[in-house]
Amino acid sequence: MFIAANWKMNLDKKSISEYAKFLQKFKFSDKVETCIFPPTIYIDYLHSLINDLPISIGGQNCHYKTSGAFTGEISPNFLRDTGCKYVIIGHSERRIINNENNAEIKLRAEAALNSSLKVILCVGETLIDRQEGKALQFIEKQINDCLPDNYENLLIAYEPIWSIGTGKIPSVFEIEEMHTHIKKIINKFVNKKINVIYGGSVNIKNINEILDITNVDGVLVGGASLKAKDFLAIYSAAVKYLNIS
Ligand code: 13P
């Protein structure tokens, strides 16, 4: 079970320091893996505050080259060097705002894997695709186009675009159908279990229902991860879920 916090472009040094104090008081379980994706500039700072805790740190994106004339970009090697274990690749905000296409996302994922990072590859359909009944087809194409050649350290995050930051989530049936679909597509390439996590308006109220869905191996939390108390409540729900099931 994997519970991750994507802070996006939020939280400054002072709020990260307060957040870390909460984390320091919390008792983590070895059954639930957790990772925080802070703004890149604060990776080192967060690391210095929580490096004694069983929490991984990850980058929110990385470039497909390890060095060179790419002003403003982040090398996967730099992430590795600052102690990151994971990186998110292909988040819909990068795809939409920064025009990252499937071919580029595949390159970024491969570069990250080559730099010994674990990759969370994000996929997700628009509302129109969902309403027109094309969601499964859309995700299949995204995966076929973005899937890196190495599957060893890969996780998929299913994040329907229309669910991110909106408070709307797909039905239990839709999430289960999509996660099962994603696993089947990947099994065409490799006979290995790949974890698929769900992201999009996950919060303390819906976490139990989401975790209970077949083929959901964890969650990627945005807005509700910005308050330590809320994120830890989501984490605790996962621990409780595993202890009961
Ligand atoms: P929200 O949880 O704010 O909907 O964001 C989800 C997300 O984009 C995580 O990567």
Side-chain angles (χ1 to χ4, degrees), residues 160-197:
I161 297 170
W162 52 274
S163 174
I164 296 177
T166 59
K168 292 184 194 140
I169 62 166
S171 67
V172 167
F173 173 80
E174 286 167 334
I175 295 178
E176 179 173 343
E177 180 185 45
M178 187 59 85
H179 281 230
T180 306
H181 180 60
I182 291 171
K183 289 188 180 192
K184 273 196 194 138
I185 299 167
I186 292 180
N187 280 151
K188 280 190 210 154
F189 296 95
V190 61
N191 188 16
K192 181 182 175 293
K193 185 181 177 287
I194 298 265
N195 285 333
V196 181
I197 60 176

Side-chain angles (χ1 to χ4, degrees), residues 6 8 88 91-93 122 159 163-167 199-202 220-224:
N6 178 8
K8 309 190 179 184
I88 296 172
H91 193 280
S92 60
E93 284 146 20
C122 297
E159 298 206 313
S163 174
I164 296 177
T166 59
S201 295
V202 174
L220 180 53
V221 189

Side-chain angles (χ1 to χ4, degrees), residues 20-206:
K21 283 183 200 154
F22 256 91
L23 297 177
Q24 284 293 352
K25 283 188 237 145
F26 189 77
K27 266 201 123 10
F28 288 89
S29 153
D30 52 8
K31 288 190 188 155
V32 176
E33 191 180 353
T34 186
C35 182
I36 297 177
F37 296 85
T40 314
I41 191 103
Y42 295 129
I43 287 174
D44 259 343
Y45 181 58
L46 179 64
H47 209 233
S48 72
L49 299 174
I50 63 166
N51 65 5
D52 55 328
L53 299 180
I55 302 175
S56 302
I57 296 182
Q60 295 178 9
N61 195 15
C62 72
H63 200 251
Y64 51 82
K65 294 275 189 189
T66 50
S67 65
F70 301 102
T71 303
E73 290 287 348
I74 306 293
S75 159
N77 282 356
F78 299 165
L79 292 180
R80 191 67 229 170
D81 199 27
T82 48
C84 286
K85 187 168 172 192
Y86 286 90
V87 62
I88 296 172
I89 301 284
H91 193 280
S92 60
E93 284 146 20
R94 299 291 315 179
R95 291 174 185 267
I96 296 165
I97 305 167
N98 301 80
N99 297 319
E100 288 181 17
N101 60 30
N102 286 346
E104 189 179 334
I105 286 161
K106 179 175 174 160
L107 289 177
R108 286 178 188 251
E110 282 175 345
L113 291 164
N114 287 337
S115 296
S116 304
L117 292 164
K118 290 179 186 262
V119 168
I120 300 185
L121 178 64
C122 297
V123 293
E125 81 284 358
T126 61
L127 185 57
I128 296 181
D129 283 308
R130 170 61 65 186
Q131 285 168 341
E132 291 180 350
K134 295 183 189 151
L136 296 176
Q137 199 184 321
F138 183 88
I139 298 297
E140 183 154 7
K141 175 158 173 44
Q142 257 186 347
I143 293 181
N144 285 337
D145 290 354
C146 300
L147 204 64
D149 292 334
N150 170 358
Y151 315 95
E152 226 26 73
N153 288 313
L154 187 72
L155 271 93
I156 305 287
Y158 170 54
E159 298 206 313
I161 297 170
W162 52 274
S163 174
I164 296 177
T166 59
K168 292 184 194 140
I169 62 166
S171 67
V172 167
F173 173 80
E174 286 167 334
I175 295 178
E176 179 173 343
E177 180 185 45
M178 187 59 85
H179 281 230
T180 306
H181 180 60
I182 291 171
K183 289 188 180 192
K184 273 196 194 138
I185 299 167
I186 292 180
N187 280 151
K188 280 190 210 154
F189 296 95
V190 61
N191 188 16
K192 181 182 175 293
K193 185 181 177 287
I194 298 265
N195 285 333
V196 181
I197 60 176
Y198 171 79
S201 295
V202 174
N203 59 36
I204 326 168
K205 289 192 186 129
N206 58 28

